[in-house]
Amino acid sequence: MPCCSHLTWSTNEFKEWAHQGQGSLPMQSPLPRTYLILVGYLTDGRQEGNANLVDGCLYVKDNTGIIPCELLHFELEWLESLFLFPSWSYIPQTDRSAAGYVEILADPVPVNLPKEVCDSIPVTYLASAEPLLTSRIACKKRSKLALAGELVRLGPLLCIHHKTFFFLFLKCFTSAVWVPVLVQKPNQLAWHHILQLGHRYTITSLSMSSLKKSGQRMFVTSVSSCLLHYCAEQVREQPLDSAWQGESTQSSSLETAEQLSGSLELGVEEERPRSTKESKIISYVGTVTKILNGQAGLFLLDNKVCLCLAYQQLLNFARGLRPGACVELIDVHLLQKPLVSFPFIVLGACLSSTVVLKSFSRLSTSYQPPTSSGNLYLQLLFRYNLGMPLYLWLVSLLEMFEERFSCFFGRHRLLLSSTHRNPGAAEKFLVPLLQPMVPDRVEARDIYNEILEKIHHCPLQKYLSLNPPCQAPSLSVVCRVAEEKSWEGFSPSQLLSPLEAQHMGTQELNRRLAWSYCTLSAGSFQPRLILLGVLRVSSRSSSLQLQDKSSALPCVISHKDGSPFARTALIGSLLQVENYQLVVERFLQTDFPSWEHLANLEHVREKKNSVYVQFCFEDVQVLHAAEGQIQKGLRSGNSSSLRRKADGSLTSELETPKAKMLKLEDPKPDTHRDENCQGGQSSAGRTSCVSRLFVVTQKEGLMLRNYQLRREEDGEGSELQCSFQSTVLWLGRPQLWSHPREIGNLPELEETGCDGEEDLTRQEVLLLFMGKSLRWFPFLHLDGLYRFIVPCCSDLEVFDKLCFPPVPAKFLSRSSCPLCLPVQDTWHLQHETWISCLTERQLAARSVLTGMDQRISSIPEILHNSFTGSLVSFSGEIVERTLCASPKNEKPSVTVGLRKQKGSLLAADHSLKLSVSAAPDSGVVMDIYIAATYLQHLWGLLPGAKILFQNLERKISRFHNVYCTYIASSCVSIISLPASHLPFPSSPAGEASSPSLVFLSSLQPHLQNLPQARILCHLSCVRTLSLQWVCSLCSSIFKEGKCTRHSPPCPSHTGVRQASAWVLVEDGTGEALVLCKNQHVRAMLGLSLLEWEALQNCVQSRGRVSIQHGEATGTGCVEEPEDLIACYLRNLCRSPLICRPILLDFSLNRKPSKILQPAPLQLRNFRCGEVEFVSQVGPRPSLLCLNVEEVEQGTLSYLNSERIRRTSSHCQVVATA
């Protein structure tokens, strides 16, 4: 643990020292005091024969070991001397397995005498030596120089390819002339701890050298060079001799510098079209208050300034840079708001900057040394020569990545390790994001110019404020932001058309508001949002999920070719998704009396929502492929995820720190299930496993079933549990494998191909999935070949031993009834292939499956009157979904049982109605009703999605309409996702495209499959008309502001106006009765909005007004025989102005009135002037009006010409005398 020792201090002095250290960080505790004596030699780490390993750091050593140390004051003569250290602090590493370092708080006390210093040294002053760096005169001999000057700049210690060096710059005492000096000898690297800016020094035995690539010249130390404090009394000036005046510089063989150049052949950012900012070069003194990211070289100073040391290597591996330490920054770059989302001003240290540690921290904080090998922060920084804005964005993305997923895979093992041949998950994620942000052709970064040139140039000199182009927040943030966006600006009136809402009663109005949704894409967020998550499957919800450390997001995955998603091998893989649909299902509990109160949100009693995401697998990038689930269990030594404690209770292995990285199942284990292999095991079977191949022939949905398993303890045996079942066919015999890695590619089918078909018998099994085995529900699909793998087992009869008959033997009358097999929690499911993908050698399996596969019908087949099946399977695209009341004839036992399920956000008395079409442009529609209690397990039922419905019950209504209901044995699968350009979900179906123009005569042969269509017709007459005000609560007549129901009295004070009319239309090829409702009645009558409002107000005082075609005058109103409103409506309906051409959008009236059923097929005469026409007229179809448009003269002429051209085949003209 961190500690400090002050041998000469009193207790009060220590308390005062500790209290002062807490000034800037009062929440941190000071270093605890210990009473220990530290004695050792100060050394630079040199060892005999290993001088090249010197890294420029200082150490304290004795005969027991060596430990790094940091000093604020150091003298060169202290090296290799024995010292007593009276004040020091020990700072351990965060990783307890590695040693820390020592901070020397006061000058050590020497045990032996210091070394003597020479009396007089001949030196050359810089005014005379500086011209040597620019001359090109050939020399005759080589000699050494001793230079004296003031230290004006001290470069950082750089270590490239295990070579350590630094630059220093000496300035003339009397002028502004300065010269660079390269220090690279191992025995001289400790000079970096001695040198202080502004002090005067003398360096001996210097030679001149130049870099091969750039030709820049400098002075270089030799092995015999010495560093001395300048003292005028101890030096004498030595003029340059003739040899120096005529000597040329030698070409430097500086391997380290050349390697540095090669390793940093990096590009600088292009200047963008936007205006760039110029950073300011300043000096700053501050206190480290927080380590923002040690690996990235980011530190927070004074809680307001960020210090970035990534562009130069960290000072002494960042030892001493702990919270509470004081640092001085010289010639650093000031960048204001380089990243829009970054909250601090940034001080960036380049290779020309100097960082000096002024005082150590007095706080008890640990030390985490930055790593150079495998440090992805620095690798990407240097590879792409990132500017400060891009680097800060890179750091934020990597921090997010590490925070979210290191608990699954381990930080060092996968996320931050990187090689060019095998990049890690983090690099796969980051590189595609960085590449578009950096130029394709980059100018090489010249580090020598950055260090040596008088005109400074570095990557921090110019910058552009960066607004991140994308973001990848945690899944909990994704869900929260999606919820906020879904409710942002939300109003219940958005979900309903005002023309429809004003005619709805209270129950229908609130039911239509109870469930809605909105979809969000990556572009719906600013900046664009990328989804990252580990694919897992929940055994509680039986749904696929993307998971990170913060949360889990349910997901629906499909393939673009329409095949279902069944890739079990992807469980535990890290996925990146950029093209997706984020769906927010909104659930409202409201009590709006009528549509007029929709703006009053006080009637919204409760708001809930659920969020899930759907995407195609082709849009997924696998950042890290999961290790086999079975091998994870084998590595842990047991296939069971539960262990028994000494007291007999069960504990999860996933609670251990090692197992947390592999935790992909539910956090709560099912303690009621025995997860041990039921077959015989031996010591040799710990790595062996048994597998069996099967094909799925039928699958049922999730529901509560009365299945009870044998349990060791006596529990509540009558409680229903969620489960599903699937009928499968075994293929081949069980296989024994010595290790899961040895499982081959369908050897059962290969063997069968050689021996014939005798091995593949019709052995059906009903698989029961409960508990943790529910996690396989999203992966099981029809015609899929799967393999059950029982780990740590060698018993080939393990499957047969667990089978049992579905009913007791005395009741079992049919031997063909399949056996039941409960799927164990520890079994692993592995998807192999599909029946349609088998090779020619494996086609023998198809012959066995003849007659076993489930028949998939088409929607037109099911709607046809000749269809006789009761359970149907078909696929179709959802056209519209609406919430309606549950059928009154629903079995109460099912509803009561399902109502107990948790997680359902809809009331149990609701049902979902799906209108499903056979094809996107087809008008053949099937209605499907699903009870609300089933919906918590059904995701992705959105308009535009293509769904495979299995085992739905086909029913015929009393109006002879065919529809289907979702029952206990039903199941749905998502074939394809809705297109992202679908209209807003509240838009009525059919608004997106205009219906096709048809003739009434063409509707007769296909009345049952009538699509939504349009006709140009003539309005012949109005058969019936009814205007009424009804109670919004009970639908009784509402008159004079109150409900007329008296027994029992109705408390409602809100009325809803409703209108309906039956009109007769013809288009020259046939006639039809059209039912018009509410706003369509006004359009049929040709009334303006003001006239319609006035008429409705008059009806409100009467309650109801109705008329019929052909009735006697004065009999239209129920209450008053001579009512003026009834007379007005009767005259209006008989007016020639009503009989006009119109453009009518319609659909089949699924509930026609039996009173208005027309006569059968007959011949009728029509007269036009003096010409009489005879036409065969079929039964009048009953249509439902969807829209009415007046026809302009130009449009009418065009449509009539088209009709005349096309009606030659439909009508026959007979001339009469």
Side-chain angles (χ1 to χ4, degrees):
M1 62 177 293
C3 62
C4 65
S5 176
H6 302 277
L7 296 180
T8 61
W9 288 10
S10 65
T11 302
N12 291 334
E13 288 176 326
F14 171 76
K15 289 182 178 180
E16 178 65 22
W17 176 82
H19 179 71
Q20 292 176 357
Q22 289 182 286
S24 58
L25 297 169
M27 302 304 295
Q28 294 282 354
S29 59
L31 284 167
R33 186 177 186 181
T34 185
Y35 298 92
L36 296 175
I37 299 176
L38 179 62
V39 180
Y41 287 89
L42 269 177
T43 178
D44 58 3
R46 277 177 287 171
Q47 299 178 10
E48 294 184 4
N50 291 320
N52 290 331
L53 299 180
V54 176
D55 55 5
C57 299
L58 298 177
Y59 300 86
V60 177
K61 71 173 182 179
D62 60 11
N63 60 350
T64 63
I66 188 171
I67 186 171
C69 69
E70 291 294 321
L71 296 90
L72 298 178
H73 172 236
F74 177 69
E75 297 295 340
L76 195 58
E77 57 268 19
W78 292 358
L79 276 179
E80 305 303 327
S81 298
L82 182 63
F83 286 94
L84 168 67
F85 300 92
S87 296
W88 52 271
S89 300
Y90 174 71
I91 309 301
Q93 288 194 28
T94 305
D95 183 8
R96 302 295 181 179
S97 61
Y101 72 98
V102 174
E103 295 176 348
I104 308 301
L105 305 178
D107 285 351
V109 179
V111 177
N112 50 4
L113 296 177
K115 300 176 183 178
E116 296 182 358
V117 182
C118 56
D119 294 332
S120 177
I121 301 175
V123 299
T124 301
Y125 290 102
L126 298 185
S128 302
E130 192 269 342
L132 296 176
L133 298 180
T134 58
S135 65
R136 291 288 181 180
I137 305 174
C139 67
K140 299 179 180 179
K141 67 175 183 177
R142 182 179 304 173
S143 60
K144 304 292 185 181
L145 281 180
L147 296 182
E150 179 184 345
L151 184 67
V152 292
R153 182 150 60 93
L154 178 63
L157 274 169
L158 298 176
C159 181
I160 306 296
H161 296 294
H162 307 291
K163 298 288 186 178
T164 307
F165 60 95
F166 67 92
F167 286 91
L168 61 90
F169 298 83
L170 295 178
K171 173 181 169 295
C172 180
F173 297 145
T174 59
S175 66
V177 175
W178 57 267
V179 296
V181 178
L182 174 62
V183 181
Q184 63 174 344
K185 302 303 179 182
N187 62 328
Q188 298 161 2
L189 296 180
W191 293 4
H192 200 271
H193 299 271
I194 303 171
L195 295 168
Q196 300 183 46
L197 295 179
H199 289 217
R200 297 183 175 187
Y201 297 96
T202 300
I203 305 178
T204 65
S205 300
L206 292 175
S207 61
M208 285 177 49
S209 180
S210 65
L211 298 176
K212 292 180 180 179
K213 183 171 286 189
S214 64
Q216 290 170 309
R217 301 182 180 187
M218 68 199 71
F219 290 101
V220 182
T221 61
S222 61
V223 177
S224 59
S225 296
C226 295
L227 175 67
L228 305 172
H229 288 282
Y230 175 79
C231 181
E233 294 78 11
Q234 296 181 352
V235 299
R236 64 181 185 274
E237 183 176 1
Q238 180 183 19
L240 293 176
D241 55 20
S242 59
W244 268 108
Q245 293 175 1
E247 182 180 4
S248 66
T249 58
Q250 59 180 342
S251 179
S252 174
S253 59
L254 192 59
E255 295 181 2
T256 304
E258 293 301 325
Q259 290 172 352
L260 176 63
S261 174
S263 63
L264 295 181
E265 287 279 333
L266 307 172
V268 296
E269 291 182 287
E270 280 185 349
E271 186 169 335
R272 305 299 173 96
R274 295 175 295 161
S275 60
T276 59
K277 298 180 181 180
E278 190 85 18
S279 62
K280 297 179 181 179
I281 296 180
I282 66 170
S283 297
Y284 185 85
V285 178
T287 302
V288 179
T289 52
K290 184 180 181 181
I291 300 177
L292 296 177
N293 190 321
Q295 301 300 322
L298 299 180
F299 303 85
L300 185 62
L301 305 181
D302 303 327
N303 290 318
K304 59 182 180 181
V305 178
C306 172
L307 170 62
C308 178
L309 300 179
Y311 290 85
Q312 63 167 233
Q313 293 184 354
L314 294 178
L315 176 65
N316 300 332
F317 302 98
R319 287 193 289 265
L321 293 180
R322 300 185 297 115
C326 180
V327 293
E328 180 182 4
L329 310 175
I330 302 170
D331 295 337
V332 293
H333 294 263
L334 172 65
L335 298 91
Q336 296 187 4
K337 213 66 175 176
L339 184 67
V340 173
S341 58
F342 196 69
F344 306 111
I345 297 174
V346 180
L347 296 178
C350 67
L351 295 178
S352 295
S353 305
T354 303
V355 180
V356 180
L357 188 63
K358 302 297 290 184
S359 66
F360 292 118
S361 172
R362 306 176 185 182
L363 303 176
S364 178
T365 55
S366 57
Y367 159 70
Q368 179 61 49
T371 58
S372 56
S373 176
N375 189 328
L376 194 57
Y377 296 100
L378 301 183
Q379 286 183 11
L380 295 179
L381 170 66
F382 295 140
R383 184 188 307 173
Y384 296 103
N385 192 23
L386 303 177
M388 183 64 73
L390 276 178
Y391 180 66
L392 292 177
W393 183 49
L394 162 71
V395 171
S396 66
L397 291 177
L398 264 177
E399 287 177 341
M400 170 278 304
F401 203 85
E402 177 185 346
E403 169 67 20
R404 293 174 58 186
F405 303 113
S406 60
C407 59
F408 293 95
F409 307 110
R411 174 179 177 273
H412 296 284
R413 186 167 65 94
L414 287 174
L415 297 184
L416 298 183
S417 61
S418 168
T419 60
H420 291 290
R421 294 184 178 179
N422 186 24
E427 188 173 354
K428 288 181 181 179
F429 167 62
L430 290 169
V431 168
L433 301 180
L434 291 176
Q435 285 177 338
M437 306 294 293
V438 297
D440 295 333
R441 295 183 178 180
V442 295
E443 179 184 351
R445 176 185 176 187
D446 192 340
I447 65 162
Y448 306 114
N449 286 334
E450 187 173 332
I451 297 175
L452 301 175
E453 284 292 332
K454 296 182 179 180
I455 300 177
H456 180 62
H457 178 74
C458 75
L460 302 179
Q461 194 170 11
K462 294 181 179 181
Y463 67 100
L464 289 167
S465 294
L466 176 66
N467 197 354
C470 61
Q471 57 176 328
S474 65
L475 293 179
S476 61
V477 174
V478 170
C479 294
R480 176 176 55 81
V481 173
E483 293 170 3
E484 292 174 355
K485 277 188 169 291
S486 68
W487 296 111
E488 183 179 309
F490 172 78
S491 174
S493 59
Q494 298 174 349
L495 303 178
L496 302 171
S497 170
L499 296 177
E500 295 180 358
Q502 60 182 332
H503 305 292
M504 293 181 182
T506 298
Q507 291 184 355
E508 183 182 3
L509 179 67
N510 291 291
R511 187 186 302 116
R512 292 283 293 272
L513 298 175
W515 189 21
S516 61
Y517 75 96
C518 73
T519 58
L520 305 169
S521 63
S524 302
F525 304 88
Q526 292 299 327
R528 180 172 54 93
L529 194 148
I530 298 175
L531 288 181
L532 296 175
V534 178
L535 183 66
R536 65 183 290 270
V537 58
S538 171
S539 59
R540 287 194 295 275
S541 63
S542 302
S543 65
L544 293 171
Q545 293 180 342
L546 291 179
Q547 187 185 39
D548 63 4
K549 183 179 179 180
S550 66
S551 183
L553 178 63
C555 60
V556 176
I557 308 178
S558 67
H559 285 276
K560 291 184 178 180
D561 61 359
S563 61
F565 179 77
R567 296 174 179 262
T568 54
L570 282 180
I571 297 178
S573 299
L574 180 57
L575 308 183
Q576 174 183 344
V577 190
E578 297 190 44
N579 187 15
Y580 57 85
Q581 293 177 358
L582 200 60
V583 183
V584 183
E585 303 273 9
R586 298 177 295 211
F587 302 90
L588 291 176
Q589 289 188 8
T590 59
D591 56 2
F592 289 103
S594 70
W595 69 279
E596 296 175 341
H597 300 81
L598 289 178
N600 186 3
L601 298 182
E602 294 180 356
H603 294 282
V604 179
R605 301 304 178 192
E606 188 177 16
K607 293 196 305 183
K608 293 182 179 180
N609 52 257
S610 65
V611 184
Y612 64 93
V613 65
Q614 50 188 18
F615 51 86
C616 293
F617 176 72
E618 288 76 8
D619 296 324
V620 171
Q621 181 183 2
V622 180
L623 299 179
H624 171 67
E627 183 183 356
Q629 300 293 311
I630 308 169
Q631 297 182 29
K632 290 180 182 179
L634 293 177
R635 187 173 63 249
S636 64
N638 194 334
S639 64
S640 173
S641 62
L642 298 179
R643 294 186 183 272
R644 288 197 174 272
K645 295 181 180 178
D647 57 0
S649 61
L650 293 174
T651 180
S652 173
E653 287 184 1
L654 299 179
E655 295 176 0
T656 62
K658 179 179 179 181
K660 283 184 178 180
M661 297 195 310
L662 308 175
K663 186 174 181 180
L664 301 174
E665 299 293 337
D666 293 327
K668 296 182 180 179
D670 187 356
T671 57
H672 300 293
R673 300 293 304 273
D674 183 11
E675 298 188 358
N676 293 323
C677 179
Q678 300 296 320
Q681 297 188 23
S682 63
S683 59
R686 293 189 177 181
T687 59
S688 63
C689 62
V690 175
S691 71
R692 191 157 196 184
L693 192 69
F694 65 90
V695 60
V696 178
T697 58
Q698 184 178 347
K699 175 188 174 184
E700 298 184 3
L702 285 166
M703 67 167 294
L704 292 177
R705 289 181 170 87
N706 190 21
Y707 288 148
Q708 303 298 324
L709 295 179
R710 295 186 294 269
R711 300 177 180 174
E712 297 179 0
E713 66 277 1
D714 295 333
E716 296 182 4
S718 60
E719 183 179 356
L720 302 178
Q721 57 179 324
C722 189
S723 61
F724 78 97
Q725 56 192 29
S726 177
T727 303
V728 304
L729 186 68
W730 292 129
L731 297 180
R733 300 184 181 91
Q735 301 286 323
L736 178 64
W737 310 90
S738 60
H739 197 279
R741 289 193 299 264
E742 299 179 1
I743 296 179
N745 292 325
L746 309 179
E748 299 89 343
L749 300 185
E750 299 289 345
E751 293 175 3
T752 303
C754 298
D755 301 337
E757 301 180 7
E758 297 180 359
D759 292 340
L760 284 179
T761 58
R762 291 175 178 263
Q763 186 179 359
E764 279 189 301
V765 177
L766 182 64
L767 301 179
L768 307 180
F769 294 84
M770 292 165 285
K772 284 189 175 182
S773 63
L774 290 178
R775 66 186 184 272
W776 305 122
F777 178 79
F779 297 102
L780 277 177
H781 301 284
L782 289 182
D783 297 333
L785 266 71
Y786 299 85
R787 186 187 301 277
F788 271 136
I789 303 175
V790 184
C792 304
C793 179
S794 57
D795 187 2
L796 292 177
E797 298 181 356
V798 60
F799 300 100
D800 297 332
K801 290 180 179 179
L802 292 174
C803 289
F804 61 90
V807 294
K810 60 181 179 180
F811 301 110
L812 190 61
S813 58
R814 289 169 36 183
S815 59
S816 61
C817 189
L819 295 176
C820 296
L821 174 62
V823 179
Q824 304 301 296
D825 291 344
T826 56
W827 292 2
H828 296 273
L829 182 72
Q830 179 175 306
H831 176 253
E832 297 291 348
T833 184
W834 304 98
I835 287 292
S836 59
C837 299
L838 293 178
T839 62
E840 294 183 0
R841 296 184 59 191
Q842 300 165 340
L843 293 181
R846 292 190 181 182
S847 61
V848 180
L849 298 175
T850 304
M852 303 294 295
D853 55 338
Q854 192 177 75
R855 182 176 183 271
I856 306 297
S857 306
S858 66
I859 292 180
E861 282 183 282
I862 299 173
L863 291 174
H864 202 273
N865 294 330
S866 61
F867 193 87
T868 58
S870 58
L871 291 181
V872 294
S873 298
F874 58 93
S875 63
E877 181 177 313
I878 299 178
V879 178
E880 185 180 11
R881 76 171 195 178
T882 54
L883 210 57
C884 57
S886 296
K888 296 181 180 180
N889 58 351
E890 183 181 351
K891 295 180 180 181
S893 59
V894 176
T895 305
V896 173
L898 290 173
R899 189 177 287 122
K900 298 178 181 179
Q901 295 189 66
K902 298 180 181 180
S904 180
L905 299 177
L906 287 173
D909 57 349
H910 288 169
S911 287
L912 176 66
K913 175 187 174 183
L914 297 177
S915 298
V916 180
S917 66
D921 299 328
S922 172
V924 183
V925 175
M926 165 80 75
D927 289 338
I928 301 171
Y929 294 88
I930 305 176
T933 46
Y934 290 114
L935 293 175
Q936 61 176 315
H937 299 298
L938 303 179
W939 306 88
L941 300 181
L942 303 179
K946 190 174 182 181
I947 311 294
L948 173 63
F949 298 92
Q950 304 169 45
N951 294 331
L952 268 62
E953 184 177 9
R954 181 180 184 268
K955 292 186 176 183
I956 302 177
S957 70
R958 56 193 176 101
F959 298 106
H960 303 285
N961 295 319
V962 177
Y963 66 98
C964 291
T965 59
Y966 190 96
I967 58 177
S969 60
S970 303
C971 187
V972 299
S973 300
I974 309 295
I975 297 178
S976 64
L977 304 177
S980 57
H981 59 273
L982 285 177
F984 191 73
S986 62
S987 302
E991 278 191 8
S993 60
S994 177
S996 58
L997 191 65
V998 299
F999 293 102
L1000 288 176
S1001 60
S1002 63
L1003 304 178
Q1004 302 300 327
H1006 308 287
L1007 188 60
Q1008 181 64 37
N1009 300 336
L1010 179 70
Q1012 177 181 328
R1014 171 178 290 185
I1015 55 172
L1016 174 64
C1017 60
H1018 185 269
L1019 178 58
S1020 300
C1021 67
V1022 179
R1023 301 290 297 270
T1024 65
L1025 176 64
S1026 175
L1027 305 178
Q1028 60 185 2
W1029 281 75
V1030 298
C1031 175
S1032 63
L1033 195 59
C1034 67
S1035 300
S1036 301
I1037 296 299
F1038 195 84
K1039 184 177 179 180
E1040 296 180 349
K1042 61 181 180 180
C1043 181
T1044 58
R1045 193 185 74 178
H1046 299 291
S1047 180
C1050 179
S1052 174
H1053 297 283
T1054 304
V1056 177
R1057 51 186 173 186
Q1058 295 180 349
S1060 63
W1062 282 95
V1063 299
L1064 182 65
V1065 299
E1066 58 87 15
D1067 67 346
T1069 67
E1071 293 180 323
L1073 288 170
V1074 182
L1075 174 61
C1076 305
K1077 293 184 178 181
N1078 301 320
Q1079 71 270 17
H1080 301 312
V1081 176
R1082 178 189 68 82
M1084 282 291 186
L1085 298 179
L1087 297 177
S1088 65
L1089 286 175
L1090 293 177
E1091 293 172 336
W1092 182 250
E1093 288 294 330
L1095 183 62
Q1096 293 285 354
N1097 292 334
C1098 295
V1099 175
Q1100 184 176 11
S1101 61
R1102 295 161 175 78
R1104 179 180 180 184
V1105 175
S1106 62
I1107 63 170
Q1108 272 189 322
H1109 178 70
E1111 65 181 351
T1113 303
T1115 61
C1117 184
V1118 177
E1119 289 81 3
E1120 300 180 15
E1122 298 298 333
D1123 186 81
L1124 294 179
I1125 299 300
C1127 294
Y1128 168 74
L1129 292 175
R1130 189 180 303 109
N1131 293 332
L1132 180 63
C1133 293
R1134 295 173 178 174
S1135 171
L1137 298 177
I1138 296 295
C1139 302
R1140 67 194 190 281
I1142 58 173
L1143 202 58
L1144 176 67
D1145 294 348
F1146 66 93
S1147 65
L1148 174 67
N1149 181 23
R1150 310 296 292 272
K1151 298 181 180 180
S1153 172
K1154 294 183 179 180
I1155 301 175
L1156 298 175
Q1157 290 299 315
L1161 188 69
Q1162 58 181 349
L1163 289 175
R1164 291 183 58 185
N1165 295 335
F1166 299 91
R1167 180 176 295 277
C1168 181
E1170 296 182 355
V1171 181
E1172 184 176 358
F1173 301 89
V1174 177
S1175 177
Q1176 190 177 26
V1177 179
R1180 295 169 175 170
S1182 178
L1183 308 179
L1184 180 64
C1185 175
L1186 300 178
N1187 189 39
V1188 179
E1189 295 182 16
E1190 301 294 337
V1191 185
E1192 299 179 358
Q1193 186 64 35
T1195 306
L1196 180 62
S1197 300
Y1198 170 75
L1199 294 175
N1200 274 330
S1201 63
E1202 289 293 314
R1203 183 169 61 176
I1204 292 173
R1205 184 178 61 85
R1206 298 172 55 190
T1207 52
S1208 59
S1209 61
H1210 297 280
C1211 299
Q1212 186 177 19
V1213 179
V1214 179
T1216 58

